[in-house]
Amino acid sequence: MWTGRIKSFRDAFRGLWYTIRTQQNAQIHLIITAFALSFGAYVGLTATEWCLAFVAVALVLGAEGLNTAIEELTDLVSPDYHPLAGRAKDVAAGGVLVCAICAAIIGVIIFGPHVAALFHP
């Protein structure tokens, strides 16, 4: 029973690592995440702000993982160019873009007052 569960987690971490290692946008998202979380620690986010920040991070990284899966699967089933394959990839990338824009808006809402407080104590 536990062997199957442990294998599932190992597979999931392998997929996460593949995404981080091979997808430049995922790497950019992680750099922004590290900066945001470090800045959050510096300014002392509230528990609610931390929760919202982590939800935003999870949303973007999760969407990036799904986008990577869709791209890989599309390349498998359609190695040659096909308009529908291209559309599937574009739609998946658009989903990541929506998540990233929402995360940025959440970031502005969370961090805006903290940044303002640094300049106007």
Side-chain angles (χ1 to χ4, degrees):
M1 177 176 141
W2 283 104
T3 305
R5 299 274 182 243
I6 291 170
K7 183 182 179 318
S8 294
F9 275 100
R10 188 174 59 237
D11 294 345
F13 279 112
R14 187 173 60 237
L16 178 61
W17 176 242
Y18 176 82
T19 301
I20 293 166
R21 187 171 39 91
T22 64
Q23 302 301 306
Q24 188 175 31
N25 287 341
Q27 295 165 6
I28 292 168
H29 294 312
L30 281 176
I31 291 167
I32 293 168
T33 294
F35 175 77
L37 298 181
S38 298
F39 187 68
Y42 175 76
V43 298
L45 295 182
T46 66
T48 301
E49 290 170 329
W50 277 117
C51 288
L52 292 171
F54 277 108
V55 166
V57 167
L59 180 71
V60 173
L61 294 179
E64 191 66 54
L66 292 173
N67 180 53
T68 300
I70 289 169
E71 287 184 355
E72 294 288 323
L73 187 57
T74 302
D75 289 344
L76 173 67
V77 300
S78 183
D80 297 325
Y81 176 77
H82 190 282
L84 290 176
R87 189 174 308 144
K89 289 181 169 190
D90 292 347
V91 170
V96 176
L97 179 62
V98 168
C99 293
I101 290 170
C102 288
I105 292 168
I106 290 169
V108 169
I109 293 168
I110 291 172
F111 291 109
H114 294 285
V115 170
L118 291 175
F119 293 103
H120 303 290

